[in-house]
Amino acid sequence: MSLPAEAYKEGQILLIDKPLTWSSFQAVNKIKYALKRKYQFPKTFKIGHAGTLDPLATGLLIICTGKFTKKIPEIQGQTKEYTGTITLGATTPSYDLETEVDATFPTAHITEELIRATAQTFEGEIMQKPPVFSAIKKDGKRLYEHARAGEEVEIEARKTTIYEFEITRIALPEIDFRVTCSKGTYIRSLAYDFGKALQSGGHLTALRRTKIGDFDVTNGITPIAFEEQL
């Protein structure tokens, strides 16, 4: 359902269900150009998203337009919920499927009891190192730029909060989970650290953001469907 041009200028919060392989930037651009085409908005038309999703993740991307772009920091600070899959027994440099497996580990000792008990140790305030393949800046360059250039970088651990870490399916080497966490939590790092805590290895093989605060992906729409409905 399309709204009058003035509504988008005044400000809207759009719930977008980002497809797999799309960058957050691509999703914002799709919405931006669809709105510009429909309403002939000037180049100064404001639009932005409230929290990046990796290309290999799907799910809730909140896009704010017009005056509501001022709400972005507030939305970014809200609790986030994700569901996904961790594959045990192997690690990758990016902690997900962006890079190839670089090491393998035993999994024969891992039981359901061990998995559930270990998951509980991650709940609460934890220290976490962001993945080396991330967009955080260090020495004027993004970490992934250092990583791709083969440069060793010292990454400092950051404080983050895991409110819930629920294991929803165990079919080794795969484990499905649901997690709620604070701003700045890297689920890829959680997958890596979880594998390590199990005396094995782990990497993220699927991720979906389902909620940000009270906003739910079930009320979301894909960028292409948004464009078609305009």
Side-chain angles (χ1 to χ4, degrees):
M1 184 183 79
S2 64
L3 299 167
E6 211 45 51
Y8 290 107
K9 280 184 188 170
E10 277 304 304
Q12 291 295 313
I13 292 175
L14 308 175
L15 305 187
I16 299 301
D17 188 350
K18 187 191 81 64
L20 189 67
T21 74
W22 283 50
S23 71
S24 299
F25 180 73
Q26 274 177 299
V28 172
N29 266 1
K30 184 76 169 168
I31 303 298
K32 181 180 176 180
Y33 290 118
L35 289 170
K36 280 187 169 182
R37 262 200 311 275
K38 169 90 174 171
Y39 300 110
Q40 278 76 56
F41 285 146
K43 278 187 178 175
T44 52
F45 174 66
K46 287 184 176 175
I47 187 166
H49 68 72
T52 306
L53 261 185
D54 289 336
L56 292 177
T58 66
L60 185 60
L61 185 71
I62 295 180
I63 294 179
C64 299
T65 74
K67 291 174 186 171
F68 277 23
T69 52
K70 288 177 182 166
K71 291 180 182 277
I72 285 174
E74 177 199 327
I75 295 168
Q76 279 180 323
Q78 295 181 10
T79 298
K80 295 172 179 67
E81 180 187 82
Y82 297 88
T83 60
T85 303
I86 298 168
T87 299
L88 297 176
T91 55
T92 71
S94 60
Y95 301 172
D96 66 2
L97 293 174
E98 189 190 332
T99 52
E100 297 292 317
V101 167
D102 62 352
T104 56
F105 302 86
T107 56
H109 65 286
I110 299 173
T111 61
E112 184 173 332
E113 292 72 31
L114 181 64
I115 288 165
R116 296 194 187 281
T118 305
Q120 285 181 348
T121 67
F122 281 85
E123 290 184 348
E125 209 173 73
I126 62 166
M127 295 301 287
Q128 185 186 72
K129 278 191 180 183
V132 68
F133 280 79
S134 63
I136 293 167
K137 280 195 171 174
K138 170 102 179 182
D139 304 330
K141 277 204 312 198
R142 300 203 182 273
L143 286 183
Y144 63 74
E145 292 174 324
H146 288 289
R148 285 172 188 157
E151 297 162 2
E152 290 281 326
V153 185
E154 187 56 46
I155 304 169
E156 286 179 19
R158 299 164 164 214
K159 201 177 279 182
T160 189
T161 307
I162 306 292
Y163 301 110
E164 295 172 278
F165 186 18
E166 181 192 357
I167 304 300
T168 55
R169 179 185 73 109
I170 298 171
L172 290 175
E174 290 185 352
I175 294 171
D176 289 355
F177 64 88
R178 182 186 68 85
V179 68
T180 58
C181 56
S182 64
K183 177 192 174 185
T185 304
Y186 279 91
I187 309 300
R188 285 183 287 149
S189 293
L190 181 66
Y192 176 84
D193 293 341
F194 186 61
K196 209 170 169 183
L198 289 167
Q199 306 295 309
S200 182
H203 62 289
L204 193 64
T205 47
L207 185 66
R208 182 164 176 77
R209 185 157 66 198
T210 44
K211 288 180 189 172
I212 299 174
D214 292 328
F215 300 106
D216 195 308
V217 74
T218 53
N219 301 315
I221 184 171
T222 67
I224 289 167
F226 177 85
E227 185 181 41
E228 286 168 354
Q229 285 187 18
L230 267 186

